[in-house]
Amino acid sequence: MKTAPITPGTLANTSEAASQAQRVAGLHLPTGAALASSREVFLAGNGLPARWVGRERFVILATGFGLGINFLASWDAWRRDPRRCERLVFVAIEGHPLGRDDLARAHAGSVLPELSARLVAAWPLATPNLHALDFEGGRVQLLLGFGDSSLLLRQLVASVDAFFLDEVETARPAQTGSAALARRLGRLAVPGSTVATMSSSRVLRDGLAAAGFEVTSAPSFNGTRDITLAHYAPRHHAAAPPGGLHVHAGTREALVIGAGLAGCAAAWALAAQGWRCTVLEREPALASATSGNDAGIFHGSFNADDGPHARLHRAAALHTQRLLVPWLADGRVHGQLLGVLRLEARLGDAQARAALAAQQLPRDYVDWLPCKAARAATGLALPSGGWWYGGAGWLAPRDYAATLLTASGAHLQCGVAVARVCREGGVWQALDALGRVVGSAPVLVLANALDSRRLVGGELQALSAVRGQLSSLPADVPGLPHAQVPVAGDGYLLPPIEGRLLFGATSQRDDDECDLRAADHRQNLLQLARLSGSGDGDRGNGNGSDSNAANRWQSLPWRGRVGWRAVTPDRLPLIGALCNLEALRDATRADHPRFVPRRRDASGGLYVFSGLGSRGIAWAALGAQVLASWVSGAPCPVEADLRDALDPARYALRPPR
C-alpha cells in the first residue's frame, strides 16, 4: 500500500474548543450530545451490549474516529456490563487525527473523564500505520488506522461483528464512496454482523444490499430522521483461504519452543488473547542465546519511498516504545529511551530534509541531524549527520524477555532439548532424544530461531545463520569514545553501562566458531573508530609498523559474546502458519501467500516466529501480536500487505500462470 502524509485535524478556535473539534471532513458534535447519539444510534443500532454477551471476542469497526466518542461509549458500556465479552476490539480509521494536546483540550469537560484521560495518555503519533493501544490489561484494544479510509479498509485483516459508519465517509464521491464502502464491509463481515449509520443514502443502502446485507430503517434517537441499520446474511459466504484469518475451535493452549525474545513475546501476546502457554527452552535459563546480550538498541527506519521495510520497522519501533515506557519507569527493564542516532553518510542535509518534508512524518519519530547537531547530541566527533529517532533507545534484552514471560503467566521449562515434533490425534507433540513427550498442545509455535529448521525441514530453508561477536571494554580505557546516546551505522556503540562500553558487532556467514576471537575484537575496534570519528582504530592496524600499539590493543581487558542471528534473504521476520509443502504440490493456485496451504486446521496448527535478525528487541512485541492474530483470529495489528511481507509462505510461492 502506498502511504500518504497525514494531515492532522485541528480544534476550532472558539470558546467551544473544549468540546468540539473541526476536521477537514466536518464538525464533531459536542461531547455530551455525541455520547447520547453514540449510545442510541451505534450501540443500540447494533444490538449492543446484548450481542457480545458470552463471546470470547467482539470486534467493532468504525469508519471515523474524531474525538473517540464512539470508542469511549463502547468502552464504557463494556465496563458496565457484568456479562461482557472477554475482549472488546475497537478498530477505527481516521484520516485527520488530532494531536494529543488538542485531543486533551477537546476532552477537558468530558462526561467520561477517567476513560478520556486514559485515551489521551495512550494517543499515538500521527504516522500512517495501524496503532494497537491496550486498555483494561489488554481486554479492551483500540486498533487505530491513520490515513485514507478507502485505502486502509482494503488493508484490514479482521472479522468484524459490528460496523459504526461515519456519515462523512458515506458521502464520498461515487468511485470511493458508499458503494465501494459497502463492498469492503462485506469482505470484513462475518455472518450475523450488523451495521448502524446516521446516513440514509440510497447509494449506501443499495450497496449494502448488493454486498449481502439486509437493510432496514429505524427512527433516530431524537426522532428527527431515520437511521440505516443492516444485518449481514449473505446467500453464500466464501470459506477463508488457507492464509486468511483463522477460526480456532479447539482449546486455547499453545506450546512454544524457545525462550528468547521471540518465544517470551509469543507467550505474552497469546496470553493477551486468553491462551495458556507452556514454553520449552533447551538452555538452563531464558534468553541465554542471542537474546542474552547485556544490552541492545532498537529504532525505526526511514526511506524516501516509505516501502514495506520502513513501514514495518516504524510500526515495530513505535509499538515497542509504547510498551516499554512504563516497564522502564518502574525498573522492570533496564535501559533508556533517550533517542538513537543512525549515521547516513550518503545524503547531504538538503537531500535528507527534502525526503522528510515529502513524507511529513512527526519529528518525534524521525528527524535529520546535520553533522554539527549530531555531534552535539552524541558527544562524538562523528563523520556525518544522520537520522535521529527520538523515541528509540537501548535496553537489556534478558530483562525484556523475562518481563514479557512474567506478564504472560506461561509455564517455563528450561533444560528441555526438543529432538523432533509431530502431530498425534490433533495434538502437536515435542519429543526428546529418547522419544519421550516433553510437551504437547493443539498449537505449536517454533520460536527457537535457527534450530527451528532442524525440526521442520524444508519449510524454513529461507533462514540462515550470521555469526556476530560483540565487544566490551571498561569505560575508563584511555582514548575510547563515550557516546551520550546509542549511535548506529556500520556497527553500533552504546553509552557507558555499569562502567563498560559495549560495541560491535561483526557479521559473518557460514561461520560456526563459538569461541571469542581476538581478530573480531580488533575488527570491532576499527569499526568503532570509523563510527565515532575517533582515531583510536590505528592502534590495531596490524601492519606491523607499531608493535607497541598492536600489543596494547591485544592486552586490553576485553570481554565479548558470540551469537548467531537468524536472518532471511529479505531481512524481514518469518511470522505465521507454516506451509504444507506436500499439499502445495497439488494446489491449483499458489501465487499469493493467502492461497498457500498451511499446516493447521480448526483444532490447531504449526506456526513460526523467527528470522528477527539484528532487530529482535524492536520486533518482539509487534511480531508476537501478528503471530497471535494468526493463531487466534484476532484482528491483525499490521496492514494486509505488511502481513504478507512477513508470511513464511512468501518463500513458497509459485509464479502466476
Side-chain angles (χ1 to χ4, degrees):
M1 181 184 74
K2 181 64 176 176
T3 58
I6 302 296
T7 303
T10 58
L11 280 175
N13 187 23
T14 69
S15 60
E16 297 179 349
S19 62
Q20 126 179 332
Q22 189 169 12
R23 298 181 297 162
V24 174
L27 195 66
H28 289 282
L29 291 170
T31 301
L35 273 173
S37 173
S38 180
R39 288 166 176 159
E40 294 294 331
V41 174
F42 295 112
L43 288 173
N46 280 287
L48 298 174
R51 285 185 55 228
W52 65 39
V53 171
R55 296 281 296 274
E56 172 191 335
R57 179 191 306 111
F58 195 88
V59 180
I60 297 171
L61 170 61
T63 57
F65 190 80
L67 297 178
I69 302 302
N70 289 333
F71 168 64
L72 295 175
S74 302
W75 184 6
D76 179 61
W78 181 88
R79 295 183 93 196
R80 293 172 181 272
D81 185 4
R83 302 184 300 162
R84 57 183 172 254
C85 53
E86 290 183 35
R87 283 159 188 79
L88 176 66
V89 183
F90 195 99
V91 185
I93 297 175
E94 177 57 59
H96 306 287
L98 291 175
R100 178 178 289 174
D101 291 344
D102 279 350
L103 188 69
R105 294 197 346 252
H107 282 280
S110 172
V111 295
L112 297 174
E114 178 194 352
L115 302 190
S116 294
R118 289 165 68 179
L119 173 63
V120 170
W123 194 244
L125 294 176
T127 62
N129 293 107
L130 294 178
H131 303 266
L133 312 179
D134 288 336
F135 305 93
E136 307 289 351
R139 291 177 297 158
V140 172
Q141 184 182 67
L142 173 60
L143 186 59
L144 273 174
F146 290 158
D148 187 336
S149 65
S150 65
L151 298 177
L152 276 174
L153 278 174
R154 289 195 293 247
Q155 289 289 322
L156 288 178
V157 182
S159 295
V160 178
D161 299 296
F163 296 91
F164 295 3
L165 299 193
D166 182 63
E167 225 179 337
V168 172
E169 290 298 324
T170 65
R172 282 174 172 259
Q175 64 271 23
T176 59
S178 296
L181 174 62
R183 289 193 298 272
R184 291 171 191 137
L185 301 192
R187 181 183 67 82
L188 295 166
V190 296
S193 296
T194 57
V195 176
T197 176
M198 293 288 287
S199 173
S200 57
S201 160
R202 170 53 58 185
V203 176
L204 173 65
R205 292 169 65 90
D206 290 347
L208 289 171
F213 289 88
E214 297 176 353
V215 184
T216 60
S217 298
S220 65
F221 77 104
N222 58 13
T224 58
R225 58 174 175 166
D226 286 347
I227 62 175
T228 297
L229 306 178
H231 176 267
Y232 189 56
R235 294 181 181 179
H236 172 70
H237 188 70
L245 266 189
H246 173 66
V247 177
H248 178 81
T251 57
R252 286 182 279 171
E253 296 179 356
L255 179 66
V256 180
I257 300 179
L261 278 171
C264 293
W268 164 79
L270 286 168
Q273 298 300 329
W275 284 62
R276 296 187 300 274
C277 296
T278 297
V279 181
L280 304 182
E281 171 57 48
R282 68 181 178 184
E283 301 295 335
L286 63 79
S288 296
T290 306
S291 297
N293 291 343
D294 290 339
I297 64 174
F298 81 92
H299 58 81
S301 181
F302 176 84
N303 61 46
D305 63 357
D306 205 32
H309 283 72
R311 291 164 56 206
L312 279 166
H313 293 324
R314 177 173 66 233
L318 291 173
H319 195 78
T320 302
Q321 179 188 347
R322 284 194 294 269
L323 180 64
L324 284 173
V325 166
W327 291 356
L328 289 166
D330 64 20
R332 280 180 283 179
V333 177
H334 182 44
Q336 290 180 336
L337 300 183
L338 300 178
V340 170
L341 182 78
R342 185 163 191 90
L343 295 178
E344 178 53 85
R346 295 170 298 179
L347 295 179
D349 294 343
Q351 291 174 294
R353 290 292 183 194
L356 281 175
Q359 288 193 30
Q360 299 178 34
L361 291 169
R363 293 179 66 181
D364 286 348
Y365 168 64
V366 63
D367 199 2
W368 174 261
L369 295 188
C371 189
K372 183 178 180 180
R375 289 176 172 179
T378 62
L380 300 175
L382 299 175
S384 71
W387 301 113
W388 173 253
Y389 297 94
W394 69 268
L395 57 85
R398 188 180 289 109
D399 289 355
Y400 187 22
T403 303
L404 288 165
L405 189 68
T406 299
S408 76
H411 175 55
L412 173 64
Q413 295 178 239
C414 291
V416 178
V418 177
R420 65 185 184 91
V421 298
C422 65
R423 197 180 193 198
E424 294 288 342
V427 175
W428 283 94
Q429 298 178 340
L431 297 90
D432 65 12
L434 299 177
R436 297 173 299 193
V437 176
V438 293
S440 62
V443 163
L444 176 62
V445 177
L446 302 178
N448 51 336
L450 295 160
D451 196 42
S452 57
R453 296 180 304 181
R454 176 180 57 82
L455 296 178
V456 295
E459 293 95 322
L460 294 177
Q461 289 308 302
L463 284 176
S464 61
V466 175
R467 182 187 184 275
Q469 179 175 314
L470 58 84
S471 300
S472 172
L473 284 171
D476 59 4
V477 170
L480 284 181
H482 288 199
Q484 296 166 181
V485 295
V487 179
D490 183 13
Y492 61 87
L493 168 66
L494 275 68
I497 302 172
E498 297 180 354
R500 296 192 70 86
L501 291 181
L502 189 68
F503 55 95
T506 60
S507 181
Q508 296 131 340
R509 288 187 175 273
D510 302 319
D511 188 336
D512 58 3
E513 174 61 56
C514 298
D515 295 334
L516 291 169
R517 296 192 293 231
D520 286 0
H521 281 320
R522 189 175 82 178
Q523 180 179 335
N524 283 337
L525 194 62
L526 291 169
Q527 187 170 260
L528 173 63
R530 293 191 295 268
L531 181 75
S532 63
S534 69
D536 296 342
D538 292 339
R539 65 165 64 129
N541 57 26
N543 60 15
S545 61
D546 190 343
S547 60
N548 290 332
N551 290 333
R552 182 186 176 201
W553 80 261
Q554 291 181 9
S555 64
L556 291 174
W558 290 100
R559 293 183 193 169
R561 202 163 185 277
V562 174
W564 284 265
R565 311 176 189 99
V567 301
T568 61
D570 60 10
R571 297 298 192 275
L572 290 176
L574 300 176
I575 307 175
L578 273 181
C579 309
N580 185 333
L581 296 183
E582 293 182 4
L584 181 61
R585 286 193 288 266
D586 299 325
T588 57
R589 182 179 180 187
D591 56 350
H592 189 281
R594 67 174 176 267
F595 298 120
V596 174
R598 308 298 172 126
R599 297 178 68 175
R600 67 172 177 173
D601 53 32
S603 63
L606 179 61
Y607 299 83
V608 64
F609 182 21
S610 185
L612 278 61
S614 60
R615 291 182 177 261
I617 294 174
W619 267 111
L622 182 63
Q625 290 195 329
V626 173
L627 172 78
S629 169
W630 272 96
V631 175
S632 70
C636 185
V638 299
E639 299 92 311
D641 62 332
L642 300 185
R643 182 180 185 265
D644 292 340
L646 303 173
D647 191 339
R650 68 188 187 269
Y651 291 111
L653 296 180
R654 291 205 304 262
R657 294 181 180 179

